[in-house]
Amino acid sequence: GALVYQYPRRTICKSGTSMRMECQAVGFQATSVAWYRQSPQKTFELIALSTVNSAIKYEQNFTQEKFPISHPNLSFSSMTVLNAYLEDRGLYLCGVGTGGTEVFFGKGTRLTVV
Amino acid sequence: GQQVQQSPTSLVLQEGENAELQCNFSTSLNSMQWFYQRPGGSLISVFYNPSGTKQSGRLTSTTVIKERRSSLHISSSQITDSGTYLCAINYNVLYFGSGTKLTVEP
């Protein structure tokens, strides 16, 4: 079956530092990877959509300068949270598409900023 | 982003009761999915439902694209059903509703 691994599961970083998280698709090739953030008491916010062979599209309020994404091949994507502050804390999830319309999710990376 | 409204926001049931969760969306779409979010945060896909009715055990999803709505019915609820249920519409990428927090009490 389709499996999506995210690493690390949990991380703590100091305010003003950066943190990189990874998303790995196992058993299938990811034609698209979408990164989401679920802040405390909030729903899932779409950060950006990365489609192979297309430019990464960022949603309003999220920028490449703050959340640079790398999608080097069909099974791997990474995103960095640069200069993290308190408002960046939350659960970061990657959703992986296969060209159909069903999307598979990893278990997320929970970011705490201290 | 696309508008996705879920209702109710929260729901408390006694074990054995049925639940009906609603999802309404403001635009035409490719498909939609229902997810269950565990207290720890991970998402589990419950239904991928482009249209029509699908059943899996005690769960039934009905999606009517033309009417821009979907529902998730949980029959004979159990304590382990507690958690947050999210619907998401696929408009080239998934957009999530704010979820329904379900609590099933003994």
Side-chain angles (χ1 to χ4, degrees), chain B residues 38-50:
Chain B
R38 290 178 169 159
S42 59
L43 282 181
I44 299 172
S45 181
V46 177
F47 283 109
Y48 164 65
N49 191 353

Side-chain angles (χ1 to χ4, degrees), chain A residues 41-106:
Chain A
Q41 308 305 320
K42 287 187 178 179
T43 188
F44 287 90
E45 298 177 278
L46 175 64
I47 297 172
L49 173 65
S50 172
T51 305
V52 174
N53 298 323
S54 297
I56 298 171
K57 183 182 177 185
Y58 286 82
E59 289 289 289
Q60 195 173 14
N61 300 325
F62 296 96
T63 65
Q64 183 180 8
E65 289 71 30
K66 173 72 175 178
F67 300 95
I69 290 170
S70 172
H71 192 178
N73 58 57
L74 291 174
S75 64
F76 182 83
S77 177
S78 67
M79 183 177 75
T80 302
V81 181
L82 292 175
N83 200 18
Y85 285 101
L86 195 61
E87 59 265 27
D88 295 319
R89 72 189 193 281
L91 180 68
Y92 288 81
L93 283 155
C94 70
V96 177
T98 61
T101 51
E102 188 168 9
V103 179
F104 302 95
F105 283 85

Side-chain angles (χ1 to χ4, degrees), chain A residues 101, chain B residues 2-4 23-33 48-51 63-70 87-95:
Chain A
T101 51
Chain B
Q2 306 305 320
Q3 295 289 326
V4 185
C23 178
N24 293 279
F25 31 92
S26 61
T27 185
S28 58
L29 48 79
N30 299 328
S31 65
M32 60 84 59
Q33 280 180 255
Y48 164 65
N49 191 353
S51 66
T63 297
V64 185
I65 295 291
K66 283 185 179 178
E67 297 179 11
R68 298 183 179 177
R69 62 176 175 85
S70 181
C87 77
I89 62 170
N90 192 315
Y91 192 73
N92 298 319
V93 66
L94 283 182
Y95 292 94

